[in-house]
């Protein structure tokens, strides 16, 4: 499974109504730290396929959802489970940091 793309239009269905926990990476194409963690996010999507959904919201093309969740800086990673926010990471983090947060939210 590869990294999914969440939008203002599909967020409710894909994230809030998901049977699986969901990791959402709020990012933008011009963001250097976002580019640094992109390969990690892609690796995690493959490693945790079937256990957690992993996807991205481009904040430049989707303003409703980032505003709703108070995204002030990117990258911001929010973990959802059964439609509820379970945790968050702000800024670039290591793969082990992401894995630890994922395991906490499975």
């Amino acid at each position: 499974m590869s990294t999914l793309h969440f939008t203002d239009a599909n967020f409710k269905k894909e994230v809030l109504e998901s049977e699986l926990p969901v990791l959402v990476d709020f990012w933008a194409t011009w963001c250097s730290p976002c580019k640094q963690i992109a390969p990690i996010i892609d690796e995690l999507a493959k490693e945790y396929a079937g256990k957690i959904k992993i996807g991205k919201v481009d904040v430049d093309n989707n303003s409703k959802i980032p505003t709703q969740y108070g995204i002030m800086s990117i990258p911001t990673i929010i973990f959802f489970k059964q439609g509820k926010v379970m945790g968050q990471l702000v800024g670039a983090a290591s793969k082990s940091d992401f894995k630890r947060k994922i395991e906490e939210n499975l």
Side-chain angles (χ1 to χ4, degrees):
M1 185 178 218
S2 61
T3 306
L4 303 169
H5 296 279
F6 303 132
T7 64
D8 287 343
N10 74 8
F11 194 84
K12 182 179 182 217
K13 181 179 185 295
E14 292 292 331
V15 177
L16 301 180
E17 297 174 355
S18 174
E19 296 288 320
L20 294 173
V22 185
L23 177 156
V24 180
D25 174 12
F26 291 88
W27 73 290
T29 56
W30 48 264
C31 167
S32 293
C34 299
K35 291 178 185 175
Q36 286 178 325
I37 66 166
I40 295 170
I41 299 295
D42 291 339
E43 288 172 24
L44 293 170
K46 291 180 181 116
E47 286 178 36
Y48 285 92
K51 294 180 184 174
I52 186 171
K53 282 173 127 174
I54 296 179
K56 299 173 174 256
V57 172
D58 182 337
V59 299
D60 287 335
N61 296 324
N62 301 279
S63 60
K64 182 180 163 197
I65 296 302
T67 300
Q68 185 176 333
Y69 287 95
I71 305 302
M72 301 300 279
S73 69
I74 54 173
T76 292
I77 312 301
I78 299 181
F79 296 86
F80 291 86
K81 192 171 192 177
Q82 298 174 332
K84 294 183 174 76
V85 174
M86 301 303 290
Q88 157 175 325
L89 289 169
V90 178
S94 69
K95 186 173 182 180
S96 61
D97 290 335
F98 285 117
K99 288 182 91 158
R100 185 170 47 258
K101 276 299 227 187
I102 288 170
E103 294 295 331
E104 287 173 11
N105 289 290
L106 283 180

